[in-house]
Amino acid sequence: MSSTKYILGSFADPDDMMHGIDKLQENNISIYDCFTPMPIHGIEAKLGVKPSRLPIAAFCFGITGLVSGISLLYYTIVYDWPMNIGGKPALAMPDFVPVSFELTILFCALGMVATFFFRNHLFPGRAPRVMDLRATDDRFIIAIDAKENTDYEKINSLLKEAGAVDVLHNERKYVSYE
Amino acid sequence: MSSHNESILREPLITGKDITYAQVTNDILLPVENKPNKAWWIGFTLASLGALLWVFCVSYTFWVGIGAWGLNKTVGWAWDITDFVWWVGIGHAGTLISAVLLLFRQNWRNSINRSAEAMTIFAVICAATYVVSHMGRPWLAYWIFPLPNQFGSLWVNFNSPLVWDAFAISTYFTVSLVFWYTGLLPDISSVRDRAIGLKRRIYSILSFGWNGSVKTWQRFEIVSLVLAGISTPLVLSVHTIVSMDFATSVIPGWHTTIFPPYFVAGAIFSGFAMVQTLLLVMRKVMNFENYITMFHIESMNKIIMTTGSIVGIAYLTEFFIAWYSGSEYELYAFQNRAAGPYWWAYWTMMTCNVISPQLFWFKKIRRSIPISWVLSIVVNIGMWFERFVIIVTSLHRDYLPSSWAMFYPTWTDVGIFVGSIGVFFTLFLLFLRFLPGIAIAEVKLLLKSASLQQKAKLIAEGHQAPEQVEFFKDSLVKFDSITQEEINELK
């Protein structure tokens, strides 16, 4: 057994990388993940990544905000201390709209982004787990787990054939740790 | 797919020859990774002097109270609220560019959204300072939020637009900040992975550990889309609520139902003008000509012209309704605006906001960088006068003629306004120095579809209709970043 942990196919062009994914999948080689400097449309379908459920989370947060807003207004100006302003009713629904709306948006945005950061383990100070430092610059990386896929020669040639400019055999999973 | 073929009938969004992904990163990170040039230092020195003036004048206001301003019993709101609305209005373009144009799939937003969003955030910061300082006792500013009754005898009055405003502005600021920062994460990571030593450590903290995996990008795109979807009604609601600060009162000249759409159009108008002012300088000084092209400039000028026309129609409608409604107080307020002691402010507003943007009907003017720049500043002067006219001319003729008065600003008023421009530019220049001024990842997304080199390649393949090629070549003439030889080479 070699000490290689991950094989990285480094592509200079996103279309070549997509081609590489096809090649590897035709040969039953499982792909660990891809790292790209920009979003690649259509890659999720190729890799079988399920659609994100964040919109559902966003909707739930939004509803929470709406209910919180209306409850806050109802409690403060209708229930707890109704004010008589020119004899008008305390429960003035049109006046509820702006604040309830703003709170809906606020809860929705903050909740959704917090969920995104939580699910992807993004937070200030987290050590970046980067497999190739050029993946945020100009390289499109396919990472293959070398313990699961042991036919290195074949992987090398498949990646090269698809147009990889470089194939790396990394002994460490992440190169970004100091 | 990153390289779907876009019709050559569309103008390119990225010009230049042989631009690679690496070059995009290099070009955009140049100012971040190197020492700033002389232009930056001169700008920064001037801006921070302005910021110091602001600190001094605001401190002075806090020390002696609102009496430091030129307000009187009749004109109880003047420069403070004028400046507040002006800044909030400017703060509308960023979110509009990043949200509305994203929903409409206007890809040209990709190279201007980052700096426009930054501008939004800094403008809202400037605006918020007026809200706080005009309260008289700024250390009690948190009383505007609903706090339990132990803090006072009553809850805040949720029927008041001023309370709505506090919610709207704080929500707007928070959501814009989150939108901006989430979009920055991949670009901060680009800086991080190219840096060494302490710089890498700092950008590493700022990058939240972003790594660009498939799932991260997938969620990132969904988050951007949903944020755009909720920011669009938000941005419209913010200036609507700002306009309600006036419209729900019974002051002649304020009490009009046209205010919300009229204010929103005015906000977009002034916001785009400020984006234009900043971007035209930025693209020159930082050599971003290939990413912020003549097409971007022209598109923004068209938006300025459209919204300027909406604002113009609103002015005329207001005037017409003042007469048509038969309300003599309303009519007087408008006659007083046009011919009263503040006639010069009214006509400055009319000239700058209604007449000057109409010049953009001419292609030559729309495509001239110096004229666009001057006009963008003219528009912002006009929009400042619009708020001044609405606020001061409506107030200075009180219900009783014995209370009629004029407003004269003190040096503190002027100092806070000039100073806030300094604060704005200080923050903006620091942003350009330390963070990528253009969204790198989003520009890369366009490189293989909407760039000149991609379209040149399509033409070289020879499957394009000759008349379409001719059309494309004609459309390139206006670009200052494309030479005539480059156009001739296309075939």
Side-chain angles (χ1 to χ4, degrees):
Chain A
M1 275 302 274
S2 79
S3 57
T4 305
K5 265 192 174 170
Y6 282 88
I7 302 174
L8 304 183
S10 184
F11 293 84
D13 187 298
D15 294 329
D16 290 346
M17 183 190 71
M18 295 295 258
H19 188 51
I21 295 174
D22 286 338
K23 284 264 180 198
L24 292 171
Q25 284 178 338
E26 280 164 23
N27 290 282
N28 275 335
I29 292 165
S30 64
I31 292 164
Y32 172 72
D33 206 343
C34 294
F35 300 93
T36 52
M38 63 188 204
I40 308 290
H41 297 151
I43 195 170
E44 304 99 308
K46 232 173 217 166
L47 293 177
V49 176
K50 285 192 193 123
S52 170
R53 289 170 298 172
L54 273 174
I56 303 170
F59 182 76
C60 297
F61 283 114
I63 291 290
T64 313
L66 181 66
V67 171
S68 312
I70 294 175
S71 316
L72 172 75
L73 267 71
Y74 187 84
Y75 174 75
T76 52
I77 61 172
V78 181
Y79 178 80
D80 191 44
W81 198 306
M83 280 181 281
N84 187 341
I85 302 166
K88 289 174 204 156
L91 182 65
M93 286 307 275
D95 290 354
F96 278 36
V97 173
V99 173
S100 312
F101 171 77
E102 300 299 337
L103 288 177
T104 309
I105 302 290
L106 186 67
F107 275 57
C108 176
L110 292 183
M112 177 182 56
V113 172
T115 315
F116 167 51
F117 287 172
F118 177 77
R119 291 289 287 138
N120 281 58
H121 308 281
L122 297 169
F123 56 86
R126 180 186 156 87
R129 283 150 172 80
V130 174
M131 287 195 169
D132 188 315
L133 289 176
R134 284 178 74 174
T136 51
D137 184 358
D138 61 340
R139 285 295 167 83
F140 300 79
I141 309 289
I142 302 178
I144 298 148
D145 191 334
K147 300 282 179 245
E148 288 172 18
N149 304 286
T150 44
D151 193 354
Y152 297 169
E153 285 309 308
K154 193 171 169 199
I155 296 173
N156 272 2
S157 63
L158 283 172
L159 288 170
K160 289 271 184 205
E161 237 174 80
V165 282
D166 208 356
V167 178
L168 300 163
H169 290 245
N170 280 6
E171 293 178 10
R172 287 167 66 194
K173 187 171 180 187
Y174 302 115
V175 294
S176 54
Y177 288 127
E178 258 88 9
Chain B
M1 291 296 128
S2 50
S3 68
H4 66 275
N5 292 335
E6 190 184 89
S7 164
I8 59 165
L9 294 178
R10 286 178 181 270
E11 285 121 317
L13 300 177
I14 301 171
T15 59
K17 264 190 191 168
D18 304 323
I19 302 227
T20 57
Y21 292 111
Q23 186 167 353
V24 175
T25 324
N26 286 340
D27 284 351
I28 296 174
L29 290 187
L30 195 74
V32 179
E33 292 179 335
N34 295 284
K35 291 231 157 63
N37 57 14
K38 220 184 213 164
W40 189 90
W41 276 115
I42 294 171
F44 186 73
T45 311
L46 288 175
S48 40
L49 284 176
L52 282 177
L53 176 68
W54 180 86
V55 170
F56 179 73
C57 292
V58 170
S59 312
Y60 183 75
T61 304
F62 284 4
W63 190 257
V64 299
I66 300 297
W69 297 350
L71 303 175
N72 51 49
K73 186 179 102 356
T74 307
V75 186
W77 262 7
W79 274 43
D80 49 340
I81 306 298
T82 303
D83 300 345
F84 160 72
V85 182
W86 190 68
W87 278 121
V88 172
I90 286 171
H92 272 53
T95 311
L96 193 99
I97 288 171
S98 49
V100 180
L101 297 184
L102 177 75
L103 295 183
F104 284 106
R105 298 180 184 233
Q106 295 297 306
N107 286 335
W108 57 274
R109 68 179 269 290
N110 286 16
S111 42
I112 56 171
N113 62 354
R114 177 63 39 76
S115 49
E117 282 172 43
M119 187 201 82
T120 289
I121 289 160
F122 305 145
V124 177
I125 289 175
C126 288
T129 58
Y130 289 100
V131 179
V132 173
S133 52
H134 98 297
M135 286 176 173
R137 290 182 292 168
W139 50 93
L140 298 177
Y142 61 89
W143 280 14
I144 193 74
F145 291 104
L147 293 159
N149 268 354
Q150 289 87 323
F151 278 93
S153 54
L154 292 169
W155 293 101
V156 293
N157 180 7
F158 280 111
N159 301 300
S160 161
L162 296 176
V163 174
W164 304 346
D165 214 8
F167 275 85
I169 301 288
S170 44
T171 301
Y172 184 58
F173 178 72
T174 314
V175 175
S176 303
L177 188 68
V178 165
F179 201 172
W180 179 66
Y181 202 79
T182 309
L184 262 172
L185 289 179
D187 296 348
I188 293 176
S189 310
S190 300
V191 185
R192 174 198 71 199
D193 289 347
R194 289 157 59 101
I196 46 163
L198 180 67
K199 199 171 170 188
R200 165 173 273 184
R201 281 178 182 277
I202 293 170
Y203 281 99
S204 180
I205 293 168
L206 295 176
S207 75
F208 287 18
W210 176 277
N211 66 359
S213 69
V214 174
K215 201 65 194 174
T216 320
W217 276 120
Q218 185 202 29
R219 292 203 179 108
F220 174 86
E221 289 225 290
I222 286 286
V223 164
S224 306
L225 186 65
V226 176
L227 278 179
I230 60 173
S231 298
T232 303
L234 175 66
V235 73
L236 300 181
S237 84
V238 173
H239 229 62
T240 300
I241 292 173
V242 170
S243 80
M244 285 173 179
D245 290 346
F246 305 100
T248 55
S249 72
V250 290
I251 310 278
W254 289 6
H255 186 62
T256 51
T257 47
I258 199 179
F259 260 30
Y262 153 33
F263 266 52
V264 171
I268 297 167
F269 180 50
S270 65
F272 267 87
M274 186 56 106
V275 172
Q276 193 75 289
T277 311
L278 297 179
L279 284 189
L280 289 177
V281 178
M282 183 176 121
R283 90 190 268 273
K284 182 81 197 155
V285 174
M286 306 179 104
N287 301 317
F288 286 162
E289 277 102 341
N290 278 336
Y291 305 105
I292 301 167
T293 66
M294 189 51 76
F295 176 75
H296 295 87
I297 297 170
E298 205 184 350
S299 305
M300 283 194 280
N301 281 339
K302 285 177 186 167
I303 293 182
I304 291 174
M305 188 184 76
T306 313
T307 47
S309 306
I310 298 174
V311 169
I313 295 283
Y315 292 164
L316 299 178
T317 311
E318 260 189 335
F319 226 112
F320 172 75
I321 293 296
W323 165 75
Y324 187 68
S325 64
S327 162
E328 53 184 304
Y329 304 106
E330 188 76 9
L331 184 60
Y332 174 75
F334 279 87
Q335 282 171 340
N336 181 50
R337 276 184 192 180
Y342 285 111
W343 63 271
W344 48 273
Y346 182 81
W347 291 106
T348 309
M349 160 189 112
M350 276 298 199
T351 317
C352 295
N353 290 351
V354 184
I355 299 166
S356 71
Q358 299 306 320
L359 293 172
F360 285 136
W361 286 102
F362 300 101
K363 259 184 202 156
K364 270 240 166 66
I365 291 181
R366 213 158 60 212
R367 293 173 183 174
S368 155
I369 292 173
I371 300 179
S372 299
W373 193 72
V374 170
L375 282 181
S376 73
I377 290 174
V378 166
V379 165
N380 266 319
I381 294 172
M383 285 309 290
W384 188 88
F385 273 102
E386 179 201 296
R387 280 64 177 252
F388 180 79
V389 164
I390 291 173
I391 292 161
V392 174
T393 64
S394 290
L395 286 177
H396 85 130
R397 289 289 176 256
D398 209 342
Y399 299 105
L400 291 174
S402 61
S403 308
W404 288 5
M406 293 292 283
F407 172 80
Y408 300 102
T410 60
W411 61 268
T412 326
D413 281 306
V414 181
I416 292 181
F417 178 57
V418 174
S420 71
I421 297 174
V423 171
F424 177 78
F425 278 98
T426 307
L427 292 169
F428 194 76
L429 286 167
L430 286 175
F431 157 70
L432 289 183
R433 172 70 186 85
F434 293 108
L435 293 168
I438 293 181
I440 305 174
E442 292 183 41
V443 168
K444 284 177 186 163
L445 207 50
L446 300 179
L447 193 60
K448 285 198 77 190
S449 58
S451 62
L452 177 65
Q453 58 191 25
Q454 187 68 16
K455 292 180 190 231
K457 210 170 107 192
L458 285 182
I459 293 171
E461 280 167 10
H463 300 303
Q464 305 292 329
E467 61 271 21
Q468 291 197 3
V469 175
E470 274 315 302
F471 182 89
F472 181 64
K473 284 162 99 170
D474 289 342
S475 74
L476 293 182
V477 175
K478 70 180 180 196
F479 284 76
D480 60 342
S481 50
I482 303 175
T483 59
Q484 192 59 43
E485 288 87 72
E486 284 178 273
I487 298 173
N488 294 338
E489 276 171 28
L490 292 170
K491 50 169 134 10

